[in-house]
């Protein structure tokens, strides 16, 4: 196996220049403790470095106290999202090799590693959610088929970032990685590369690219991988994908972990801190040389403790609790007095009015006035939305007389977990016997039956509504 890895690594170095040291990920969930994961190597990773080989500095200040270990010792589990290109731009023989290599990868993963799988052609699809079971993941991969004439790489990567966020909410912070296999052909994505760069900077998750085909098509993905702390690998053919998988497994298992206490503080004018890692290594002649890598990470904003007010007999002779009690009691008594005065004034005004004769209505008129059809939603006009495509495909949302707001905000009536959906994206309102769809000046627009909504439109049965990458079907019933 190592013979094949050496060959693949030599090919990789010929096509993509790789530094000796690379910071893969920085985690700050236990801030001020900072944990940096890095890989060191020229062809294969160096596995026997000690603390004396490393130099650290944060914002130009040397860090003397830090700990060093490796993943082989720590055995920290890894959460991965595999993103597989299944479009028709890939030849059938190459597609079979891609699936075969992915199956070998999930079967060889660590026992505590979590893997999720996404496929994409003209749109992304969830093949398998996070799972520890390598055999189950392999069975799901065997069911993946080629389809679609176009490719939406950026939309698939956005979906992968959303799964990473979901994994952090479900399992807590930890090691994350995204691995994408593609020929680099991008055609139909709604998402732009700048949107993905913003996600990388916010989530700080490394992206590893295994690409085939022309290198020019992989240029944008290579830039994204470098920015994220990951890497881009180019295989001469799809037969080399298995070797890339093996190389990634070795890298994930031999990464170094550096932990230290940060002195950085969050300020309005300083939200990021620079970590510099240097390594000192011997060369062939016995002399030493230094390599380095830099990584900018976001400084968490720590909540400041509420200051405790000490009691002083010179300033406040009473216990502060009694002061709060008396203040609250005074406000309550004032409100009661105001209520009684308003009530007395109302009774005085009513008693001063002349008596009013009320004209008696006939029983038929009373029955006609009892119910106003315009005030009640007819049973035949009850409606609902069915999520056709999205994070909760198949879910139904009932719509009544009250306006229904759709968006990614938790305050929305229908919360859509889609990165392309605005906080307040769209609204459905019942008016004059019909349901009307509005776009709330969303960033990516609202689409009705494939056309962008430029003004409010009346909804009909089986209309398709699209917000970001999520689609709904409107139904009466």
């Amino acid at each position: 196996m190592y013979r094949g890895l050496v060959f693949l690594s030599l090919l990789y170095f010929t096509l993509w220049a790789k530094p000796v040291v690379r910071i893969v990920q920085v985690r700050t969930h236990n801030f001020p403790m900072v944990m940096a994961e890095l890989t060191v190597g020229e062809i294969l990773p160096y596995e026997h470095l000690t603390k004396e080989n490393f130099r650290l500095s944060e914002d130009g200040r040397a860090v003397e106290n830090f700990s060093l270990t490796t993943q082989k010792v720590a055995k920290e589990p890894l959460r991965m999202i595999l993103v597989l290109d299944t479009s028709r731009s890939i030849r059938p023989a190459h597609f079979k090799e891609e699936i075969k290599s992915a199956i070998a990868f999930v079967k060889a993963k660590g026992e505590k590693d979590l893997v999720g799988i996404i496929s994409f052609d003209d749109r992304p699809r969830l093949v398998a959610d996070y799972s520890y079971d390598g055999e189950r993941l392999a069975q799901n991969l065997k069911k993946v088929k080629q389809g679609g004439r176009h490719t939406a790489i950026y939309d698939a990567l956005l979906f992968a970032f959303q799964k990473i966020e979901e994994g952090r909410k479900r399992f807590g912070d930890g090691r994350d990685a995204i691995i994408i296999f593609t020929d680099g052909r991008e055609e139909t994505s709604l998402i732009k590369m700048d949107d993905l760069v913003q996600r990388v900077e916010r989530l700080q998750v490394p992206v590893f690219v295994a690409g085939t085909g022309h290198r020019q098509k992989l240029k944008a993905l290579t830039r994204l991988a470098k920015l994220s702390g990951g890497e881009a690998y180019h295989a001469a053919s799809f037969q080399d994908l298995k070797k890339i998988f093996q190389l990634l497994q070795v890298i994930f298992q031999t990464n170094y972990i550096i932990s230290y206490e940060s002195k950085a503080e969050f300020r309005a004018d300083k939200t990021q801190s620079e970590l510099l890692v240097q390594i000192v290594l011997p060369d062939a002649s016995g002399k030493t040389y230094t390599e380095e890598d830099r990584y900018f990470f976001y400084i968490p904003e720590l909540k400041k403790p509420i200051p405790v007010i000490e009691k002083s007999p010179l300033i406040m002779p009473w216990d502060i609790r009694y002061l709060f009690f008396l203040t609250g009691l005074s406000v309550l008594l004032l409100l009661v007095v105001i209520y009684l005065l308003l009530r007395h004034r109302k009774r005085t005004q009513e008693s001063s009015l002349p008596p009013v004769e009320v004209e008696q209505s006939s029983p038929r008129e009373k029955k006609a006035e009892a119910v106003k059809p315009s005030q009640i939603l007819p049973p035949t006009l009850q409606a609902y939305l069915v999520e056709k495509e999205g994070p909760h495909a198949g879910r139904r949302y009932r719509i009544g007389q009250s306006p229904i707001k759709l968006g990614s905000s938790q305050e929305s009536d229908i919360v859509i977990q889609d990165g392309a959906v605005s906080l307040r994206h769209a609204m459905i309102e019942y008016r004059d016997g019909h349901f009307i769809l509005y776009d709330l000046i969303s960033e990516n627009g609202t689409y009705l039956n494939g056309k962008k909504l430029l003004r409010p439109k009346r909804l009909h049965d089986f209309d398709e509504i699209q917000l970001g990458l999520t689609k709904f079907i409107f139904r009466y019933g």
Side-chain angles (χ1 to χ4, degrees), residues 275-339:
L275 174 63
L276 172 64
V277 176
Q278 296 177 316
I279 58 168
V280 181
L281 298 170
D283 59 14
S285 63
K287 298 180 180 180
T288 60
Y289 67 98
T290 303
E291 293 286 347
E292 64 182 38
D293 192 23
R294 301 170 187 270
Y295 196 103
F296 290 88
F297 64 90
Y298 283 94
I299 306 171
E301 185 176 2
L302 299 178
K303 295 182 178 179
K304 296 182 179 180
I306 300 174
V308 178
I309 302 175
E310 296 183 358
K311 295 181 290 183
S312 173
L314 298 177
I315 300 175
M316 190 179 297
W318 291 353
D319 192 309
I320 193 171
R321 291 175 296 178
Y322 293 117
L323 180 61
F324 287 154
F325 172 78
L326 292 175
T327 304
L329 183 61
S330 301
V331 173
L332 181 61
L333 290 174
L334 180 62
L335 292 175
V336 171
V337 171
I338 293 174
Y339 170 77

Side-chain angles (χ1 to χ4, degrees), residues 51-113:
K51 188 175 178 180
E52 286 69 27
N53 295 110
F54 291 85
R55 305 285 185 272
L56 265 71
S57 65
E58 184 184 66
D59 295 329
R61 298 187 300 267
V63 178
E64 301 294 342
N65 298 322
F66 64 90
S67 63
L68 176 70
T69 185
T70 64
Q71 287 297 348
K72 279 191 175 181
V73 176
K75 294 182 179 180
E76 190 177 7
L78 177 65
R79 289 193 298 262
M80 295 171 284
I81 295 293
L82 295 183
V83 185
L84 306 176
D85 190 339
T86 60
S87 65
R88 300 244 178 227
S89 65
I90 299 177
R91 296 178 181 178
H94 295 169
F95 171 75
K96 290 181 181 179
E97 190 64 30
E98 177 186 10
I99 298 299
K100 184 179 177 181
S101 301
I103 290 174
F105 181 78
V106 298
K107 286 185 176 181
K109 74 175 186 63
E111 196 174 304
K112 296 182 179 180
D113 292 341

Side-chain angles (χ1 to χ4, degrees), residues 24 51 55 57 154 238 247 284 288 308 366 386-387 389 396 414 426 442:
V24 177
K51 188 175 178 180
R55 305 285 185 272
S57 65
Y154 299 163
F238 267 84
L247 179 61
T288 60
V308 178
K366 290 182 179 179
V386 179
E387 189 165 336
E389 297 177 11
R396 292 168 50 137
I414 298 178
S442 60

